[in-house]
Amino acid sequence: MIKIRPLQIASVLSLIAVFGLDSQTPLGFAHGDLYLIGVLLAAFTGSLRFMWTLAGLSIALTVLGIWLSPEGLPMRYWLTNRLMSITELVALTALTSYVIIRLRRSRMEKHQWRREYRNLKKLTPSPDNPLSPFQYSSQFQLFADAIPQTIWTATAEGGIDFVNRAFARSTGRQREDLINHAGWLGSVHPDDKPLVIAKWPEVIAEGKEYELEVRVQRHDGKWRWLLVQGTPVKDADGRIIKWCGSAIDIDDLYRLAERFEHVASTTVDAISDWDIVNNVIWWNQGVNTLFGYEREDMMSDPTVWTSHVHPEDRDRILDTLWGAIRGDTEELMMNYRFIRQDGSIAEIEEHARVVRDQSGQALRLVGGMSDVTERNEMAEQLGHAQRLQTVGELTGGMAHDFNNLLTVIQGNNELLTEALKDNPELADMSDMIRQASEKAEALVQRLLAFARRQSLEPQATDVVDLINSIQPLVRRVIPARVKLELVIKDKIPAVMIDPGQLEHALLNLCLNARDAIADNGCIRIVASSASAESMTLVKKELDAENWVAIAVEDDGQGMTEDVRRHALDPFFTTKRNGEGSGLGLSMVYGFVKQSGGYLDIQSSPGVGTVIHLLLPVADIDAIGLDQQQKRLQSCNSPKVAERKPVVLVVEDDELVLQYAERQFRELGYQVLSANHGEQALDVLRQRVTANKPVDLLFTDVRMSDGMNGPQLAREATMIQADLPVMFTSGYTEDAFDQESGSPGHLPAGTLFLSKPWRRADLAQKLAGLTSSED
């Protein structure tokens, strides 16, 4: 039975009334908007169907009113009015329908919320009763199943008696299969089952909260890491009456942590993460790789790291660290020394970052320790090399000119000494000039040796014979209270070295060892084939068969680490003023390096010092008489001996040239001279053209006209093929590097007279030509 409401009747009557007005009023079309009153009355009935029915009827009556309107009105008036009325009816009906629908939906949502609130209130347990969530099992299950988190409960004895829908869905198993101990274990990874089996009874016995990370198989067969947590529910007497727990999927976090571990393990640094709030620290594997400490030991307590910081740096580093934490610093960089597990010292550069909360409170300190020991050593070596280069450039700049002056001074002083034999007073003054010039000569040679710019004449040298030959000299310069021991190990091959310079270097090392021994002691010179130990000392990947090791050892006072690191620096000395120049060890180091070898110092206070030399083995097959030696022998042939030999002296220093001319004449030579290379070549061409060849070319290595001695020698031998050449210089620089293949090394067979030289030195070199021929 359809129930008719008063508003519906009123709506219909209003439409009839408006239609009546439309037919009776001369301007009937003006009443078209009055149909809106009936539609509004229909809207208040709450029926959308009735409202749209009345709206349709109003539109029909409006159209019908066109034929009831008085005649004589223009069409534009009544047609416009009717169309506007129809549009208004449609718009008002649609808007009213939207409002009614929204009101109905809001009312339904309000009713639903009230119903859910009443149901949830029924499921909410009383806070006074710990068992209230379990007293209504159906209600608890509804509540637990609505939660997406995995939830389980167990009896006081540990038997699983409930799992929620999320647990069953994630494993893909029925609840009935999971609600028992064996069923739960069926989803656990085989490698983790022993841990669960051992841990669960222990937890039940202790009755404490626990956490456990295990892998559980998901419904798709994949294994996921879960964080299983359990909490005991106790009654008023403290007895466990229930266990409640959850299982949180931490697989993504676990993978991220695992990935971080892998990334951290690949870095060469030791990375730490200090949780300042909980005072817990984490280290990566680098702390073991770099320093030898076990991660577990370093993570046992943050103060373990502090105990390994070098005692001299500890207070400074801790003040810096805590100052940054308590202040507002976010990033800091520290340099300090760290003691490795084997007791050695590592130089550390640490970059750290302080992580703070919004209030600025320090929460964590993340740092990375880089072992820069080797880098600092390389930087120190580079600095040493740069200092060496600076001194070398300074030395090279002055050595040539200085030795030219010394050549003239010493040579003429030698002649002056001969002329003053009968005048003792003036002879003593001449001897003082000689001594002073010899000291100046020695100083220049030391600087050149240190700078690796001295002229070396390497040759195959028997180390054993050389050490035995210097033994008497060493014995004379060390006191009787100091023992001297020579230790020769195995059969030692010959080394390619300048024997005179090696003797001088070993004597220098023995003198240093003598000065380091305060009372009774011992100096040992040990020669052996290169061992693995000596290879390790020089930190080079070398073939031991190509090297010979010589060590000079003493049991003196030794060196501190700081002294050892600066021992090879030029002019560095620990002796009192006037007792040492600081060039002894520097000179030995420069000579060994220039010879292609290596030097290492091992020393500690109160123990003594060992200086290792690693020298290259000589290639005996490569040693022989070259073309240059054959040329030199030719100048002493019987044919040349029938006449006075001719020497062409080339020297750009006028005083040295005059001195050389006089000395050669004193030795029976006919002398031709030139101030530079081009002039010498012109003289040589003239002599060859006149069939009067030159018997010896005596040339300075460095000359100012752009052509050096070796270049002149090459040009000269193209003019006169059998021309022997003797070189002289106080500093060869790199003039022979192309020929010898090594800086400062003279090519095999090169006849060289080092400045400053005297007549006796020249005569000895020239006499060697005769003995070579014989």
Side-chain angles (χ1 to χ4, degrees):
M1 182 176 178
I2 299 176
K3 184 178 181 180
I4 299 176
R5 298 177 180 178
L7 283 177
Q8 293 177 337
I9 297 174
S11 300
V12 174
L13 291 177
S14 68
L15 260 64
I16 296 172
V18 173
F19 182 76
L21 289 174
D22 194 15
S23 61
Q24 298 298 321
T25 306
L27 296 177
F29 62 88
H31 302 290
D33 291 345
L34 296 178
Y35 288 112
L36 296 175
I37 298 174
V39 174
L40 288 175
L41 290 174
F44 283 107
T45 65
S47 173
L48 291 177
R49 180 180 299 177
F50 180 73
M51 183 182 67
W52 278 104
T53 300
L54 248 64
L57 183 59
S58 298
I59 293 172
L61 292 176
T62 301
V63 174
L64 182 62
I66 295 174
W67 286 275
L68 299 179
S69 298
E71 296 181 358
L73 289 175
M75 182 181 65
R76 65 177 180 273
Y77 290 125
W78 57 261
L79 182 60
T80 302
N81 178 264
R82 305 279 174 180
L83 289 175
M84 289 179 61
S85 298
I86 292 171
T87 303
E88 291 173 355
L89 285 168
V90 172
L92 178 62
T93 305
L95 179 62
T96 306
S97 298
Y98 174 76
V99 173
I100 292 173
I101 292 172
R102 292 296 299 174
L103 289 173
R104 286 179 179 178
R105 189 173 299 172
S106 298
R107 190 179 297 111
M108 290 176 61
E109 290 176 354
K110 184 177 180 180
H111 290 316
Q112 183 178 359
W113 180 82
R114 287 177 176 176
R115 285 196 304 272
E116 291 178 354
Y117 176 77
R118 286 193 295 269
N119 293 335
L120 183 62
K121 191 173 182 181
K122 293 178 181 179
L123 292 174
T124 303
S126 170
D128 300 330
N129 187 359
L131 286 178
S132 59
F134 311 103
Q135 290 176 345
Y136 307 99
S137 59
S138 59
Q139 295 176 355
F140 175 76
Q141 181 168 333
L142 289 173
F143 181 80
D145 286 345
I147 298 175
Q149 181 69 50
T150 299
I151 293 176
W152 57 269
T153 65
T155 63
E157 294 75 22
I160 304 296
D161 59 3
F162 172 78
V163 293
N164 70 339
R165 182 183 302 168
F167 203 156
R169 185 185 299 118
S170 65
T171 58
R173 305 179 65 182
Q174 297 296 323
R175 297 196 198 197
E176 293 75 13
D177 296 336
L178 296 172
I179 303 177
N180 60 74
H181 193 60
W184 150 246
L185 285 176
S187 298
V188 177
H189 194 282
D191 294 342
D192 298 336
K193 282 183 181 180
L195 177 63
V196 176
I197 294 173
K199 184 72 174 179
W200 185 235
E202 179 182 338
V203 169
I204 298 300
E206 293 179 353
K208 297 180 180 179
E209 295 184 359
Y210 81 99
E211 291 184 353
L212 191 64
E213 294 180 5
V214 294
R215 284 164 290 182
V216 176
Q217 191 172 34
R218 206 167 60 171
H219 60 85
D220 57 2
K222 295 182 179 179
W223 296 97
R224 302 283 292 183
W225 281 98
L226 301 182
L227 175 62
V228 180
Q229 299 172 307
T231 303
V233 179
K234 300 179 181 180
D235 60 14
D237 297 330
R239 293 175 301 179
I240 297 177
I241 54 180
K242 201 76 173 176
W243 285 87
C244 293
S246 64
I248 304 173
D249 190 326
I250 60 169
D251 195 76
D252 293 336
L253 294 176
Y254 198 91
R255 301 301 176 191
L256 287 174
E258 187 178 47
R259 185 179 302 170
F260 175 76
E261 283 281 356
H262 289 318
V263 172
S265 65
T266 59
T267 181
V268 296
D269 292 346
I271 300 175
S272 63
D273 182 3
W274 178 25
D275 182 348
I276 301 174
V277 177
N278 299 309
N279 199 30
V280 177
I281 194 166
W282 172 91
W283 288 92
N284 73 331
Q285 187 60 30
V287 75
N288 177 265
T289 305
L290 291 180
F291 310 120
Y293 295 110
E294 296 297 331
R295 292 179 64 191
E296 292 75 13
D297 296 337
M298 292 293 291
M299 291 191 291
S300 62
D301 192 331
T303 60
V304 174
W305 169 83
T306 306
S307 64
H308 297 314
V309 176
H310 195 284
E312 296 178 4
D313 299 337
R314 190 173 299 154
D315 291 340
R316 172 177 60 85
I317 293 302
L318 290 178
D319 289 344
T320 301
L321 200 61
W322 283 109
I325 292 173
R326 292 165 180 160
D328 57 359
T329 303
E330 290 189 359
E331 295 184 4
L332 68 155
M333 193 268 285
M334 301 178 292
N335 291 282
Y336 56 92
R337 289 165 293 177
F338 196 75
I339 303 174
R340 298 189 182 96
Q341 196 273 337
D342 59 6
S344 60
I345 305 298
E347 296 182 17
I348 300 301
E349 181 179 281
E350 180 170 1
H351 295 264
R353 183 178 184 85
V354 181
V355 180
R356 303 180 183 277
D357 59 16
Q358 294 181 349
S359 66
Q361 183 70 27
L363 303 178
R364 316 182 76 87
L365 179 69
V366 182
M369 297 171 60
S370 301
D371 188 341
V372 296
T373 307
E374 187 172 352
R375 188 188 75 183
N376 289 349
E377 289 177 354
M378 293 178 64
E380 184 176 349
Q381 292 174 6
L382 178 60
H384 185 270
Q386 291 173 340
R387 293 193 297 272
L388 187 71
Q389 182 179 2
T390 301
V391 175
E393 291 173 354
L394 175 64
T395 302
M398 58 167 261
H400 181 265
D401 295 334
F402 199 68
N403 278 327
N404 279 342
L405 296 175
L406 287 176
T407 299
V408 176
I409 293 171
Q410 291 183 354
N412 285 283
N413 184 68
E414 182 180 21
L415 298 176
L416 186 61
T417 300
E418 294 176 357
L420 296 175
K421 290 181 180 179
D422 298 330
N423 191 331
E425 184 176 353
L426 294 179
D428 289 342
M429 296 175 65
S430 176
D431 188 58
M432 291 173 62
I433 295 174
R434 176 189 61 79
Q435 294 179 29
S437 64
E438 288 177 350
K439 288 183 178 181
E441 176 188 357
L443 178 59
V444 174
Q445 290 304 316
R446 286 178 182 176
L447 289 172
L448 286 173
F450 156 71
R452 309 180 210 173
R453 298 182 182 230
Q454 62 182 332
S455 300
L456 299 179
E457 299 183 58
Q459 62 188 57
T461 303
D462 189 324
V463 173
V464 177
D465 288 346
L466 186 142
I467 293 175
N468 286 327
S469 67
I470 68 170
Q471 180 181 0
L473 180 60
V474 176
R475 184 69 267 178
R476 284 197 297 270
V477 296
I478 63 176
R481 57 182 171 77
V482 178
K483 292 174 56 179
L484 176 64
E485 294 182 0
L486 305 181
V487 181
I488 309 299
K489 298 180 180 180
D490 308 322
K491 185 179 179 180
I492 302 175
V495 298
M496 181 58 70
I497 204 80
D498 187 319
Q501 295 296 336
L502 180 58
E503 288 182 0
H504 192 49
L506 292 178
L507 180 60
N508 253 307
L509 296 179
C510 290
L511 291 176
N512 283 344
R514 175 202 65 184
D515 296 339
I517 300 174
D519 298 316
N520 298 332
C522 180
I523 298 174
R524 286 172 294 278
I525 303 178
V526 183
S528 64
S529 297
S531 62
E533 179 185 4
S534 56
M535 294 289 108
T536 303
L537 290 174
V538 299
K539 299 179 181 176
K540 298 286 182 181
E541 295 180 359
L542 305 173
D543 186 355
E545 294 181 357
N546 295 328
W547 301 88
V548 168
I550 301 177
V552 178
E553 307 174 2
D554 69 72
D555 50 6
Q557 61 187 6
M559 307 179 191
T560 63
E561 179 63 19
D562 185 61
V563 171
R564 187 194 68 79
R565 293 172 62 179
H566 292 89
L568 301 178
D569 288 351
F571 307 109
F572 177 82
T573 180
T574 57
K575 298 178 182 178
R576 291 193 296 268
N577 188 26
E579 293 186 357
S581 64
L583 285 173
L585 272 178
S586 301
M587 181 179 66
V588 175
Y589 175 73
F591 158 66
V592 171
K593 295 294 289 184
Q594 188 178 355
S595 300
Y598 300 94
L599 181 147
D600 181 79
I601 301 176
Q602 299 292 314
S603 184
S604 56
V607 176
T609 302
V610 181
I611 298 181
H612 298 266
L613 308 181
L614 207 61
L615 305 177
V617 171
D619 184 0
I620 302 298
D621 295 335
I623 300 172
L625 189 66
D626 71 349
Q627 185 64 30
Q628 176 66 10
Q629 288 177 303
K630 295 177 182 178
R631 292 175 184 168
L632 292 172
Q633 291 179 1
S634 67
C635 74
N636 287 289
S637 63
K639 183 178 179 181
V640 175
E642 295 175 358
R643 59 178 173 80
K644 185 180 286 189
V646 179
V647 61
L648 175 57
V649 179
V650 186
E651 173 62 63
D652 60 348
D653 189 296
E654 189 63 33
L655 292 177
V656 178
L657 178 61
Q658 294 176 16
Y659 172 72
E661 290 174 342
R662 178 170 181 172
Q663 297 301 341
F664 270 105
R665 290 192 185 100
E666 292 289 338
L667 293 173
Y669 279 78
Q670 179 184 348
V671 180
L672 304 174
S673 60
N675 294 109
H676 52 79
E678 290 296 338
Q679 184 181 4
L681 293 176
D682 290 341
V683 172
L684 190 59
R685 292 189 189 99
Q686 295 173 10
R687 296 288 298 189
V688 171
T689 302
N691 199 22
K692 296 179 180 180
V694 173
D695 299 306
L696 177 65
L697 175 62
F698 183 79
T699 178
D700 191 10
V701 173
R702 297 183 67 191
M703 291 183 289
S704 58
D705 69 332
M707 182 183 294
N708 60 32
Q711 292 170 341
L712 171 60
R714 285 193 292 270
E715 295 288 337
T717 53
M718 294 177 65
I719 299 173
Q720 182 179 328
D722 60 348
L723 178 64
V725 182
M726 180 185 296
F727 297 97
T728 182
S729 181
Y731 170 53
T732 60
E733 198 178 32
D734 56 356
F736 287 107
D737 293 356
Q738 184 175 356
E739 289 82 357
S740 67
S742 301
H745 287 199
L746 300 178
T750 301
L751 188 63
F752 182 81
L753 182 62
S754 180
K755 293 179 182 178
W757 52 268
R758 303 172 185 80
R759 185 194 305 165
D761 301 324
L762 177 61
Q764 183 180 8
K765 288 289 184 180
L766 295 174
L769 302 179
T770 305
S771 62
S772 297
E773 181 188 15
D774 295 342

